[in-house]
Amino acid sequence: MDCVVKLNISYILKVLIGKLVSDSDSWMDLKTSEEFNLWIMLEDGLKDRIICEKQCMGCLDYHLVNRIFYDFIENIKIINNKNTDLINCLSDKFSLKNEEDPVSLAFELISNPVYVERQLDEKAHHLYKQYVKGVEQVHSALAVGYCQQRMTELHDIIISNSHFGEMQSLSYEDFEVSPTLNTFYLDQNFVSKCVNDKNFMLQVENYKKRSKSIFLSSAYLIEDGIKMNRVFLKSYFELLFELTNNILIAKQDRHLKFFKEQIDSTVERVILWLETTRAAEGLKLYKSLYNNYAYPMFNRKSNITKTLNKDIKVFFADIDDDFHPESFDMEFNSHNIIHGIMIGKSYQFTIQDIKKGHVTFDSDFDCMNKIEQLSELMDLINFETESIKDIKKIKSSYQDTEHLKHAWKADYFITDDVKLIKRGEYIYALLGIKTKFLKISDFKKTMVEFYAH
């Protein structure tokens, strides 16, 4: 019975840690929340805290999450004890003498650094800034530990579902595309535009017939549809069939090819992998959160990130060719840290390749793999990423990467996602891929120009 209680405790504690990681100012609200009170009640009623003989998930998860949380509290206590004189001084000024909770005290004292500094003499400014930095580092360590734990959980789900590859039903028919035809890979926003605008859909259908163009999807476009409101789902699938004639780009073995497949078969396969996909989306979220705390120099608000988003080619061109481990300072040497990251992750391209603007690939599989690795690097340095608070968009960016891994086989990729376009254009340029990105407005101009001739 205690094993089940431990599993419930770890679940509640992960909820509490997740909220604290997202907002350090939420500690006071969390302390009075139902989850916090339930956690204390379950902890008080727990009789056996040791790991059981079976080493069950409840016991292992409980000990891992508890260690993350109690290490955080213990480290806050250590920082407070090292700064006793400063804390006593501030507690007197702000009447916080009766605050017994070290975490509440720490977060209250750093909640408004500008105001607090004005209450101190100049000699104490440096001590206070060091204290603020120390508390923030402890909070970051909590976030990193929490994200690593959640990523491990999600990796386990993905690995445990790997056998689905043997279960899935593939009903592909090879489809030969004439090199004289224009091929357009579609994003979900283009299909939604067609669903909501009948006149536009008629124009697209007419253009497709007259220009002898082919419109393409992938399983990830079906996946985008499944996540939509079910009210629109039937229309979405019917229209997707009408647009693409069931032609899609898909991976078979180590090749990326054009196929024909009934949408029902594709949907069946997408549903089979739905849990795995959700885990992959969650992994994308926690990686973003992890990067935010593990690599603060690439925070979206940092000057470095603002600079590289203005011109990423110039940013990489300025990086030294060699890695200097003796100056491996995450805070002061952002260029050097990128060297270290790329070496640690064993990317199949070098910093010199990126500086030269030329990353080679020798097969479809290799190209897809390098698109994924380049996308991961872009995520880490926050090149055209979503706000860390926009959870839905971060999760959906998993599909964005998958679209990039498939769309390069087409002549054009139609999407209105500006961030996806900028990332895609940069990654495709590095790989020498000729696929052009079109906004819907650009595609309309293409139709107009076609009829003008």
Side-chain angles (χ1 to χ4, degrees), residues 88-219:
N88 286 338
C89 171
L90 293 173
S91 295
D92 286 337
K93 284 182 180 292
F94 302 119
S95 302
L96 299 175
K97 273 289 186 182
N98 296 324
E99 180 54 73
E100 297 179 357
D101 176 12
V103 180
S104 295
L105 182 60
F107 283 145
E108 284 183 325
L109 290 178
I110 72 166
S111 61
N112 194 330
V114 175
Y115 175 76
V116 173
E117 276 192 43
R118 287 206 300 262
Q119 316 305 313
L120 297 170
D121 56 45
E122 288 189 16
K123 292 181 180 179
H125 281 185
H126 176 70
L127 289 175
Y128 176 68
K129 285 179 179 177
Q130 290 300 109
Y131 176 71
V132 171
K133 183 178 178 181
V135 174
E136 287 176 344
Q137 286 175 338
V138 171
H139 179 252
S140 294
L142 172 72
V144 167
Y146 168 73
C147 290
Q148 286 175 325
Q149 194 273 340
R150 297 312 302 262
M151 288 191 290
T152 300
E153 286 182 341
L154 293 166
H155 272 300
D156 287 345
I157 292 173
I158 293 169
I159 292 170
S160 66
N161 290 348
S162 60
H163 66 284
F164 287 168
E166 301 169 5
M167 298 168 55
Q168 67 184 357
S169 174
L170 299 174
S171 54
Y172 293 156
E173 295 177 23
D174 284 355
F175 185 84
E176 291 295 328
V177 176
S178 169
T180 61
L181 298 179
N182 286 325
T183 51
F184 294 87
Y185 182 91
L186 307 179
D187 197 0
Q188 182 267 329
N189 45 45
F190 181 86
V191 182
S192 295
K193 169 70 174 173
C194 291
V195 170
N196 296 316
D197 189 337
K198 290 183 179 180
N199 287 332
F200 179 66
M201 178 59 190
L202 289 172
Q203 292 168 8
V204 172
E205 274 293 300
N206 192 43
Y207 170 78
K208 186 177 76 169
K209 291 174 184 175
R210 290 176 177 270
S211 66
K212 296 182 180 179
S213 297
I214 294 177
F215 291 83
L216 305 159
S217 69
S218 70

Side-chain angles (χ1 to χ4, degrees), residues 153-407:
E153 286 182 341
L154 293 166
H155 272 300
D156 287 345
I157 292 173
I158 293 169
I159 292 170
S160 66
N161 290 348
S162 60
H163 66 284
F164 287 168
E166 301 169 5
M167 298 168 55
Q168 67 184 357
S169 174
L170 299 174
S171 54
Y172 293 156
E173 295 177 23
D174 284 355
F175 185 84
E176 291 295 328
V177 176
S178 169
T180 61
L181 298 179
N182 286 325
T183 51
F184 294 87
Y185 182 91
L186 307 179
D187 197 0
Q188 182 267 329
N189 45 45
F190 181 86
V191 182
S192 295
K193 169 70 174 173
C194 291
V195 170
N196 296 316
D197 189 337
K198 290 183 179 180
N199 287 332
F200 179 66
M201 178 59 190
L202 289 172
Q203 292 168 8
V204 172
E205 274 293 300
N206 192 43
Y207 170 78
K208 186 177 76 169
K209 291 174 184 175
R210 290 176 177 270
S211 66
K212 296 182 180 179
S213 297
I214 294 177
F215 291 83
L216 305 159
S217 69
S218 70
Y220 297 95
L221 195 56
I222 302 290
E223 203 168 83
D224 286 337
I226 288 175
K227 292 190 293 185
M228 293 172 60
N229 187 317
R230 284 187 295 174
V231 171
F232 303 104
L233 195 56
K234 185 173 182 291
S235 297
Y236 181 89
F237 284 156
E238 287 176 350
L239 191 139
L240 190 57
F241 164 73
E242 204 172 330
L243 280 170
T244 65
N245 299 113
N246 291 338
I247 304 169
L248 73 159
I249 300 174
K251 182 165 71 75
Q252 190 177 56
D253 299 324
R254 297 174 69 87
H255 300 285
L256 198 62
K257 298 166 63 178
F258 297 99
F259 297 101
K260 287 198 79 167
E261 182 181 47
Q262 293 299 315
I263 282 182
D264 288 348
S265 298
T266 314
V267 170
E268 192 176 299
R269 192 167 64 256
V270 167
I271 290 173
L272 174 67
W273 289 99
L274 211 51
E275 182 188 25
T276 309
T277 301
R278 296 293 178 265
E281 290 174 344
L283 199 55
K284 188 83 171 183
L285 173 64
Y286 287 111
K287 278 184 178 178
S288 295
L289 200 57
Y290 175 88
N291 290 342
N292 186 62
Y293 286 102
Y295 306 105
M297 76 292 296
F298 296 120
N299 184 287
R300 283 168 59 87
K301 295 180 181 179
S302 73
N303 290 330
I304 295 168
T305 304
K306 289 175 182 176
T307 299
L308 71 89
N309 273 279
K310 285 180 182 177
D311 194 329
I312 192 167
K313 292 180 182 178
V314 171
F315 174 79
F316 275 107
D318 288 342
I319 296 179
D320 292 337
D321 284 344
D322 300 317
F323 174 51
H324 308 288
E326 71 280 358
S327 61
F328 191 69
D329 191 322
M330 289 174 56
E331 188 171 357
F332 299 109
N333 194 334
S334 60
H335 289 176
N336 207 24
I337 191 70
I338 291 179
H339 271 291
I341 290 165
M342 291 181 64
I343 292 168
K345 290 184 176 289
S346 301
Y347 287 148
Q348 295 174 334
F349 48 84
T350 66
I351 201 79
Q352 288 81 10
D353 294 332
I354 296 179
K355 283 167 64 70
K356 293 174 184 175
H358 186 54
V359 175
T360 61
F361 62 91
D362 55 24
S363 66
D364 291 352
F365 180 81
D366 188 34
C367 181
M368 295 177 77
N369 192 37
K370 282 175 179 171
I371 288 172
E372 184 162 352
Q373 290 181 353
L374 285 165
S375 295
E376 183 181 56
L377 180 61
M378 299 304 105
D379 286 342
L380 193 147
I381 63 176
N382 262 314
F383 176 62
E384 295 297 337
T385 55
E386 304 294 343
S387 166
I388 199 67
K389 293 182 179 179
D390 201 333
I391 293 173
K392 187 176 179 180
K393 284 188 177 181
I394 291 175
K395 285 185 174 182
S396 69
S397 65
Y398 161 73
Q399 271 82 11
D400 291 345
T401 301
E402 295 301 326
H403 285 314
L404 290 178
K405 286 162 64 176
H406 288 74

Side-chain angles (χ1 to χ4, degrees), residues 1-7 9 45-49 58-59:
M1 185 65 181
D2 273 356
C3 295
V4 177
V5 175
K6 287 176 189 174
L7 188 61
I9 290 173
L46 196 60
K47 296 176 182 178
D48 189 357
R49 287 180 169 78
C59 286

